[in-house]
Amino acid sequence: MGSGTDIDEDVVNSHHSKRRIVSCPCCGAPKREDALQRHIGGKFCIKRCEICDQRIPAKAYQDHCQEHCLALQHEVHQYGPETATPQQSFTEDPDPVFSEIYRTHPEINDFTKTGKTLSVYNFRVSEFNASEVVYLFKKVYRQQKTAFKFNISVGYILRNNRTEELCFYGPSQNNQLMLDSPELVKNSVDKDKFIDFVKDLDLSKVVERPTTAWSFVQVTNVTFYIYMLSGTPIGTSIQLPDHLMNNKGLVALVKSRKTGKPYDDQKCFFRCLAMHQGSDPNSLERKTNSLVHEFCKAASIKQEDFNGVSLDQLEDVSRIFGVGISVYEQTEDRSTSTVWRSIREDNIMHINMFENHFCFIHDLEKYSALIP
């Protein structure tokens, strides 16, 4: 009897080991160990090219990258469709076995919800690997106007080992998270650090199961949670989009009118305040520096430590200088929304915020026909 029990345990252990989740050595996607070879030989073992954003079969990835190198050597600066590696469409319908899951959980499909403090970006995926996460992160990053914190969660399908029942395990701010805590992104350096982190991450560790009675099947969607930072200092050298540069109601304040050189400090808010107080936009620096000095003294900040003004400091600024403040943002179609408004409602200074930069609004009607 003893030996029979040992054999049964070996069988059970072997059975469970095949359900172990491992990372594909070709594309990095988390897969059940017993399905790994089938995945590697199939059409969904893919990687996203960092140069042209195409989705390439993992086995052909090195050859594809070599084509980019050859193109650069021949001074071909654009990877056009005439030289692109043929690839198969990866937007086909899901396996019919999973169609009911997709039908009853429309939240798997792409959607975006934006808010003042939290925005959610959800992407339906046919495969989940490092190159795809990097690609999606870059898409989200390009849409952010200021520094932010973020985390990533995944949704996936599980199968009950006994009943074969399928279950959708949805993403959330508390479960299936790729990061232990939200990551801060202030600039492209932080962006690149995260990209390097993802490339080294074992994505099989991201997939959780409620109990060992369930086996992982596949990832269905990836969700980015973007947390806005009201305490992030605003003020940086920037290239404004055309719709703001051409706005007749704005003074961009991206470069000195006297020298023509771009501003490389964090004083854009106080240049706005200097103009609000009547300073000539052709000679702002003396008044701007005086206002910065006054603010630092009132706020007990060493002037050498000054690195801009954040939204959550504006109420103090309003009190120190006796000015009301309204902050707006505007899209390419001139749609305008209010970002922040002071308690004080007289002597109001109107400013536009784009990413980490303030512009002075000298004519509210020319700036926007509709102000909320």
Side-chain angles (χ1 to χ4, degrees):
M1 291 292 290
S3 60
T5 303
D6 292 341
I7 293 173
D8 289 342
E9 288 179 355
D10 289 341
V11 170
V12 170
N13 290 336
S14 174
H15 186 59
H16 282 300
S17 69
K18 290 181 179 180
R19 292 184 179 139
R20 188 164 59 95
I21 301 169
V22 297
S23 292
C24 171
C26 298
C27 70
K31 291 292 168 185
R32 267 177 46 174
E33 191 170 30
D34 59 346
L36 183 59
Q37 291 305 315
R38 184 169 66 253
H39 164 74
I40 292 174
K43 62 185 177 181
F44 289 119
C45 185
I46 58 174
K47 295 182 72 172
R48 178 82 69 168
C49 177
E50 293 184 26
I51 299 174
C52 66
D53 283 341
Q54 291 190 79
R55 302 177 77 176
I56 308 299
K59 290 182 178 180
Y61 188 74
Q62 291 300 323
D63 291 340
H64 176 84
C65 292
Q66 185 63 29
E67 289 188 30
H68 282 300
C69 294
L70 292 173
L72 289 173
Q73 290 172 9
H74 289 86
E75 297 185 346
V76 177
H77 299 295
Q78 187 173 16
Y79 194 81
E82 69 278 3
T83 58
T85 301
Q87 59 173 329
Q88 191 168 357
S89 171
F90 292 97
T91 57
E92 58 192 46
D93 291 334
D95 188 316
V97 174
F98 309 130
S99 59
E100 184 66 14
I101 291 284
Y102 283 86
R103 187 187 68 81
T104 55
H105 294 279
E107 67 272 21
I108 291 174
N109 296 316
D110 291 7
F111 69 83
T112 299
K113 294 180 180 179
T114 58
K116 295 298 181 185
T117 58
L118 171 67
S119 293
V120 181
Y121 299 82
N122 184 77
F123 302 94
R124 175 173 162 175
V125 296
S126 55
E127 268 304 332
F128 177 64
N129 54 46
S131 62
E132 191 70 7
V133 173
V134 167
Y135 169 73
L136 296 175
F137 172 68
K138 287 179 178 178
K139 287 183 67 173
V140 173
Y141 174 82
R142 285 193 290 267
Q143 297 183 56
Q144 307 314 307
K145 297 181 174 66
T146 62
F148 61 95
K149 284 188 175 184
F150 76 100
N151 213 329
I152 306 173
S153 182
V154 296
Y156 44 84
I157 297 172
L158 300 174
R159 177 182 280 114
N160 188 283
N161 298 327
R162 183 175 60 84
T163 65
E164 296 294 309
E165 174 193 359
L166 295 175
C167 171
F168 174 63
Y169 211 46
S172 78
Q173 296 181 64
N174 301 310
N175 297 318
Q176 297 94 256
L177 295 170
M178 286 183 60
L179 305 171
D180 293 334
S181 60
E183 191 78 13
L184 174 64
V185 177
K186 305 187 298 295
N187 49 43
S188 59
V189 174
D190 294 333
K191 177 196 72 173
D192 292 341
K193 284 181 180 178
F194 174 72
I195 290 173
D196 290 340
F197 166 78
V198 170
K199 290 177 180 177
D200 294 332
L201 185 65
D202 182 356
L203 295 178
S204 67
K205 305 299 183 186
V206 177
V207 178
E208 301 173 357
R209 295 175 293 169
T211 69
T212 55
W214 295 86
S215 294
F216 168 76
V217 179
Q218 69 179 44
V219 171
T220 55
N221 55 314
V222 179
T223 305
F224 291 77
Y225 297 96
I226 306 298
Y227 306 95
M228 308 306 169
L229 300 178
S230 61
T232 303
I234 297 170
T236 185
S237 177
I238 197 169
Q239 179 77 38
L240 289 180
D242 289 343
H243 75 277
L244 293 178
M245 291 298 295
N246 298 328
N247 190 310
K248 302 299 183 183
L250 277 182
V251 180
L253 298 175
V254 294
K255 64 181 180 180
S256 169
R257 292 191 179 185
K258 183 176 290 187
T259 67
K261 294 181 179 180
Y263 292 122
D264 59 358
D265 53 28
Q266 295 79 37
K267 301 176 184 177
C268 56
F269 176 86
F270 291 102
R271 290 190 179 94
C272 293
L273 185 56
M275 289 198 64
H276 179 71
Q277 293 184 352
S279 293
D280 187 333
N282 294 307
S283 55
L284 285 173
E285 294 316 287
R286 179 176 294 179
K287 181 62 174 177
T288 296
N289 290 331
S290 174
L291 292 170
V292 170
H293 176 77
E294 186 177 348
F295 168 73
C296 289
K297 184 177 180 180
S300 301
I301 299 173
K302 292 181 179 179
Q303 196 153 340
E304 58 267 28
D305 293 334
F306 173 78
N307 63 352
V309 174
S310 60
L311 291 177
D312 62 0
Q313 289 178 305
L314 290 185
E315 201 61 62
D316 289 335
V317 174
S318 173
R319 174 181 52 78
I320 291 168
F321 293 100
V323 60
I325 304 169
S326 288
V327 183
Y328 309 97
E329 60 182 5
Q330 189 176 96
T331 59
E332 289 186 23
D333 62 0
R334 301 291 293 275
S335 174
T336 306
S337 58
T338 302
V339 176
W340 190 90
R341 184 173 288 151
S342 65
I343 296 174
R344 187 179 182 121
E345 296 182 347
D346 64 315
N347 188 23
I348 296 178
M349 174 178 69
H350 302 282
I351 54 180
N352 179 88
M353 186 176 77
F354 176 78
E355 295 185 1
N356 273 19
H357 182 72
F358 288 126
C359 304
F360 180 66
I361 302 173
H362 69 90
D363 189 316
L364 203 56
E365 291 186 2
K366 290 181 179 178
Y367 168 70
S368 178
L370 296 173
I371 296 291

